[in-house]
Amino acid sequence: MTPAVKALERAGVAFALAEYAHDPRSPAYGEEAARALDLSPEAVFKTLLARLDDGRLVMAMVPVAATLDLKALARAAGARKASLAAPDDAERATGYVVGGISPLGQKKRLPAFLDASADDLATLHVSGGRRGLEIGLAPADLQHLTGASLVALARR
């Protein structure tokens, strides 16, 4: 039971868990999850942490089929510039390991931004808090639980 699953249970929202055998040699965790679970890469979202030019950390969630537009994230967060956070910083802030960072149940609540494409989905999938575990839930529930702003963040 991960902190992400516990957070969902506490909130009483509907969700589904899906597990797969993670390959430790896989460099692309989200794409691996989509393939292993036969999910659309547009419906599997990766959780990325970025550091703004003022030093704040923020969380962004974008489909694994896309890349994060750091300029769009900076604008949405009211900053001039954003860069991906160092893996150690991301792990320390969330309590999760890279490749298993869930947007739910993090140690510290960060300002969150969800790519606007989530609004087109009935269900999206995010990491369940460890490599090889995915959570399926309604985008509105994810947005509500994380306090995320819906913003166009994905570059395809």
Side-chain angles (χ1 to χ4, degrees):
M1 180 87 59
T2 65
V5 174
K6 289 177 186 175
L8 287 166
E9 287 178 342
R10 270 193 313 275
V13 300
F15 68 96
L17 293 178
E19 291 188 76
Y20 63 94
H22 165 64
D23 179 354
R25 296 168 298 180
S26 177
Y29 304 107
E31 288 89 346
E32 177 191 29
R35 270 192 317 276
L37 298 172
D38 198 27
L39 299 169
S40 164
E42 296 295 332
V44 178
F45 279 58
K46 54 189 167 187
T47 303
L48 302 169
L49 267 66
R51 187 164 300 281
L52 303 176
D53 54 1
D54 62 8
R56 291 180 295 148
L57 282 175
V58 295
M59 176 177 62
M61 296 164 280
V62 296
V64 300
T67 56
L68 172 61
D69 183 337
L70 289 165
K71 288 181 182 179
L73 177 61
R75 274 192 308 276
R80 288 171 301 166
K81 192 173 179 183
S83 58
L84 288 179
D88 287 348
D89 291 341
E91 290 178 351
R92 206 172 12 264
T94 63
Y96 296 116
V97 297
V98 169
I101 294 178
S102 178
L104 303 160
Q106 295 182 359
K107 283 173 37 177
K108 181 180 178 189
R109 187 168 175 137
L110 299 170
F113 301 88
L114 177 61
D115 184 61
S117 67
D119 213 24
D120 299 331
L121 302 170
T123 301
L124 60 73
H125 302 267
V126 296
S127 174
R130 66 174 168 77
R131 296 171 187 158
L133 180 65
E134 290 289 307
I135 294 171
L137 74 163
D141 288 335
L142 177 63
Q143 190 177 1
H144 173 73
L145 292 171
T146 59
S149 299
L150 207 57
V151 182
L153 296 175
R155 226 180 346 174
R156 287 165 176 81

